Amino acid sequence: MTTHDSGSAPKPPAKDPWDLPDVSGLTVGVLGGTGPQGRGLAYRLARAGQKVIIGSRDAGRAGTAAAELGLGVEGADNADCARRSDIVIVAVPWDGHAKTLESLRQELAGKLVVDCVNPLGFDKKGAYALKPEEGSAAEQAAALLPDSRVTAAFHHLSAVLLQDTAIEEIDTDVMVLGEARADTDLVQALAARIPGMRGIFAGRLRNAHQVESLVANLISVNRRYKAHAGLRTTDV
């Protein structure tokens, strides 16, 4: 008598979460690349060998910032930056977030968008988190860009450290959120291009609010300890 198994195919082995794609050949656009955070990210990625385009409402201003950074960085207006890039990082001020993305819906269609905007308010007690109607800046981006693949990352990085040319490595983790694992893998791989940095998958976009909000706590840490604090995830 011959025995047979249940007939179900064996499950494939689990994918190694650190088996990330090669993103070295992709062009990265940074909307808001003339501001401190965007400029710092552009510098670090270009320094790591990534092709980077800085975007601004003013193409001349973007060109000036790109020339100051060197490293092959180019400057363009926001629309041209979005069109020419494979991955687009959104690093604009919160008060201009919705308007900027609405104006670029067509140019960002089909693109991988990485939102790193932190909705914050400030008063005499310090920084505090704001909660957009959509739940978070990233969810607002997803609502405004239905034809884009929206992720969230790069929220907790010190602009001071990013722009410091004397610093070789940025000792921090980047929490990456998104709906498709293939997209978050790309963003994790992009973060890992920067020496000292890791990208860590941290859930879907519905969890972006608390990640964005944590920046208010880091601002308090930095003010108290005169530091430029980042995050590390243990046991990963």
Side-chain angles (χ1 to χ4, degrees):
M1 182 176 178
T2 303
T3 59
H4 298 279
D5 60 24
S6 62
S8 61
K11 290 184 178 180
K15 182 179 180 295
D16 181 351
W18 298 113
D19 181 15
L20 299 172
D22 179 10
V23 296
S24 60
L26 299 181
T27 297
V28 179
V30 184
L31 303 180
T34 59
Q37 192 79 357
R39 187 185 178 100
L41 282 168
Y43 169 68
R44 287 293 160 179
L45 289 169
R47 181 168 166 170
Q50 208 76 35
K51 174 60 183 174
V52 176
I53 303 172
I54 282 179
S56 173
R57 289 177 297 177
D58 184 334
R61 187 180 177 195
T64 298
E68 290 171 352
L69 289 177
L71 301 170
V73 176
E74 296 182 28
D77 63 48
N78 282 332
D80 192 33
C81 173
R83 278 192 296 265
R84 294 170 57 197
S85 302
D86 301 300
I87 300 176
V88 180
I89 298 173
V90 181
V92 299
W94 166 240
D95 59 6
H97 184 259
K99 184 177 180 180
T100 298
L101 296 184
E102 284 175 333
S103 70
L104 298 172
R105 182 175 297 176
Q106 182 176 349
E107 290 82 1
L108 291 171
K111 306 286 184 177
L112 176 56
V113 175
V114 187
D115 200 295
C116 69
V117 175
N118 303 299
L120 297 176
F122 296 86
D123 60 18
K124 63 182 181 181
K125 294 182 180 179
Y128 61 94
L130 303 175
K131 189 161 188 179
E133 182 179 346
E134 298 85 354
S136 64
E139 289 169 294
Q140 183 183 86
L144 293 172
L145 303 172
D147 298 319
S148 303
R149 296 139 51 209
V150 176
T151 60
F154 300 116
H155 300 90
H156 306 135
L157 306 181
S158 164
V160 173
L161 297 184
L162 288 173
Q163 295 182 86
D164 190 337
T165 59
I167 294 177
E168 297 290 333
E169 298 186 359
I170 304 294
D171 182 24
T172 193
D173 286 336
V174 172
M175 301 182 80
V176 181
L177 303 97
E179 298 304 312
R181 192 62 59 86
D183 292 337
T184 56
D185 280 356
L186 284 169
V187 181
Q188 286 180 253
L190 186 64
R193 295 274 289 159
I194 301 174
M197 198 176 289
R198 295 189 308 173
I200 304 289
F201 176 72
R204 295 180 178 268
L205 289 186
R206 68 181 183 181
N207 294 319
H209 172 65
Q210 57 264 36
V211 173
E212 296 169 0
S213 300
L214 187 57
V215 174
N217 301 90
L218 290 177
I219 290 172
S220 296
V221 170
N222 290 337
R223 286 181 174 175
R224 181 65 176 268
Y225 297 101
K226 309 297 187 225
H228 302 292
L231 296 179
R232 273 296 188 202
T233 306
T234 62
D235 199 32
V236 175

